[in-house]
Amino acid sequence: MKQQKLIDTINELFPKAKAVPMEEFDGSKVGIWFRGSEEVHSDGLPIFDFYGFGCHPDINSILINASWYYEPNDSGTMMAYPL
């Protein structure tokens, strides 16, 4: 899946994730930065839990189905990259 389509899909289903192109974080052309990594989704699960389960399971499924994966940048910042 193309990066912008994936960002749009994630933000439609998880607006608190605030997914944006990695370019806004560090100028990289490829990747997604979850500006809302530390937010909690309406189902009560965090978008990203570094010390627990990692990425919200539904976001992780979306990423896997799109041939992308998530990766922590630090304990409060989640990124995603294509496989």
Side-chain angles (χ1 to χ4, degrees):
M1 182 179 292
K2 298 278 186 185
Q3 180 171 299
Q4 190 57 53
K5 174 132 176 66
L6 183 55
I7 289 170
D8 294 342
T9 299
I10 291 167
N11 285 334
E12 182 178 322
L13 298 170
F14 295 85
K16 288 184 177 182
K18 301 176 191 162
V20 296
M22 183 71 77
E23 199 165 18
E24 291 188 29
F25 183 76
D26 66 4
S28 298
K29 297 290 184 194
V30 178
I32 297 171
W33 170 32
F34 291 79
R35 291 184 327 192
S37 297
E38 297 181 297
E39 296 291 330
V40 175
H41 185 54
S42 60
D43 63 6
L45 293 175
I47 300 298
F48 177 62
D49 182 4
F50 182 80
Y51 298 104
F53 60 81
C55 178
H56 188 287
D58 293 340
I59 294 175
N60 194 36
S61 290
I62 292 167
L63 292 171
I64 289 169
N65 289 331
S67 296
W68 284 61
Y69 68 98
Y70 80 91
E71 181 176 279
N73 184 66
D74 57 40
S75 62
T77 309
M78 185 173 84
M79 309 299 194
Y81 303 96
L83 290 174

